[in-house]
Amino acid sequence: MKKTLVIATLVLTVLSSASRAAIVDTVSVYSTVMKKNLKAVVIRPDNYNAAQELPVVYLLHGYSGNHADWITKAVGFQKAVDKHNMIIVCPDGGFSSWYWDSPVDPQSQYETYVAKELTSWVDDHYKTIKNKNGRAITGLSMGGHGALYLALKHQDIFGAAGSMSGGVDIRPFPDNWDMAKRLGTYAEQPERWEKNTVFNMLHLLTPKSLALIIDCGTEDFFFKVNENLHQELLYRNIPHDYLTRPGGHNWPYWTNAVQYQLLFMSNFFSRK
């Protein structure tokens, strides 16, 4: 009899877990600053309708990507919203915006869009915790830079930030990934490059002002700049999680890495 009950319980548990599925919305958000509509993916937990207020993680894509990258290239990661009881928002950050408000291109004002317009829109349309204690941001490559950049500049909006394989120091790469189209060339606009690289923005931090997690594979071409950022954070006594392991600049690495990021964000939310 006891054996039968145990088996029945296990079956019910498996069925219950299998029935849980994230709810994926693709929405269109109008950007006043850029005067255009931009798509975003919003992933809600299965119990969303019964929830009151949920924390939100903004998850940024990399260079040449779009709002659908995470949901199509890291298949299955969205199950984390049920595990951690959170909402994930994947914005469209343009082909090569680097999430700056470009002084050169008025159609590339993605700092204002993500940090102000999109967060306000999400808070207006979903059941969210509407303060920094319920809001985090992370991303890969260009989006890793973007997540740290936006969080450092908008600590009133985001309480936690992460980066996966992030371009956290843009200065060694003056000819790459259309950055000169957004800032002007490094040779002609060195002040802009120095001002808009994450590595030079750490003065905006005070210990414990922003929860931070940084992750980069040891075979990644951004590994050295991430290692340098880690050492500088240590020098400044800024608490942070720093993860490295074998891996390159690719989706198998990020599909694994995002699970660590979301666990970190979940722990941050649970402490608030």
Side-chain angles (χ1 to χ4, degrees):
M1 182 64 179
K2 287 183 179 179
K3 186 176 181 180
T4 302
L5 285 172
V6 169
I7 292 173
T9 300
L10 287 172
V11 169
L12 287 171
T13 300
V14 170
L15 288 174
S16 176
S17 298
S19 67
R20 300 181 71 192
I23 305 162
V24 180
D25 304 329
T26 299
V27 300
S28 182
V29 179
Y30 182 73
S31 168
T32 302
V33 69
M34 290 187 283
K35 297 180 175 59
K36 60 184 177 182
N37 286 300
L38 294 162
K39 290 184 177 180
V41 167
V42 180
I43 309 167
R44 297 177 282 152
D46 181 61
N47 68 347
Y48 176 79
N49 289 336
Q52 293 185 339
E53 294 182 334
L54 295 172
V56 183
V57 176
Y58 289 81
L59 184 58
L60 308 184
H61 65 76
Y63 172 79
S64 77
N66 60 43
H67 66 285
D69 268 19
W70 277 103
I71 205 74
T72 57
K73 297 178 180 178
V75 177
F77 95 94
Q78 64 269 25
K79 297 175 184 176
V81 297
D82 287 321
K83 181 178 180 181
H84 299 304
N85 201 35
M86 62 173 57
I87 295 170
I88 295 174
V89 178
C90 304
D92 196 315
F95 189 90
S96 59
S97 74
W98 285 82
Y99 301 93
W100 294 311
D101 278 351
S102 170
V104 178
D105 182 2
Q107 285 296 299
S108 190
Q109 305 295 303
Y110 285 88
E111 176 188 342
T112 295
Y113 169 65
V114 174
K116 296 182 178 179
E117 295 179 330
L118 182 60
T119 54
S120 294
W121 189 94
V122 169
D123 283 349
D124 286 343
H125 290 80
Y126 290 91
K127 296 188 285 189
T128 63
I129 297 171
K130 296 170 175 56
N131 60 64
K132 62 180 288 184
N133 292 331
R135 217 180 278 123
I137 187 167
T138 186
L140 67 88
S141 193
M142 178 182 87
H145 154 88
L148 295 178
Y149 179 85
L150 295 177
L152 285 166
K153 291 193 71 175
H154 300 277
Q155 295 178 52
D156 58 327
I157 301 294
F158 302 106
S163 171
M164 294 166 277
S165 310
V168 296
D169 189 345
I170 62 172
R171 296 169 300 174
F173 310 98
D175 298 323
N176 294 81
W177 310 300
D178 297 337
M179 290 187 289
K181 291 181 179 180
R182 307 295 163 233
L183 296 178
T185 66
Y186 194 8
E188 294 175 347
Q189 300 291 342
E191 299 87 357
R192 286 180 188 166
W193 282 68
E194 294 290 336
K195 181 180 177 181
N196 287 286
T197 188
V198 166
F199 190 85
N200 282 345
M201 297 169 63
L202 300 184
H203 64 280
L204 298 174
L205 286 172
T206 56
K208 300 183 181 179
S209 63
L210 188 65
L212 293 170
I213 178 171
I214 297 161
D215 186 335
C216 192
T218 53
E219 283 72 56
D220 197 303
F221 51 78
F222 280 145
F223 178 69
K224 181 62 176 176
V225 293
N226 277 269
E227 180 69 17
N228 291 344
L229 182 68
H230 165 58
Q231 293 298 330
E232 186 65 17
L233 287 166
L234 289 176
Y235 174 72
R236 293 172 178 264
N237 293 315
I238 302 297
H240 62 288
D241 281 20
Y242 180 58
L243 307 178
T244 67
R245 57 192 171 279
H249 203 81
N250 52 47
W251 278 102
Y253 189 89
W254 301 322
T255 301
N256 181 38
V258 71
Q259 300 297 332
Y260 295 95
Q261 299 276 317
L262 295 175
L263 174 60
F264 179 89
M265 304 309 181
S266 177
N267 289 338
F268 166 77
F269 295 140
S270 67
R271 293 193 297 267
K272 297 299 177 181

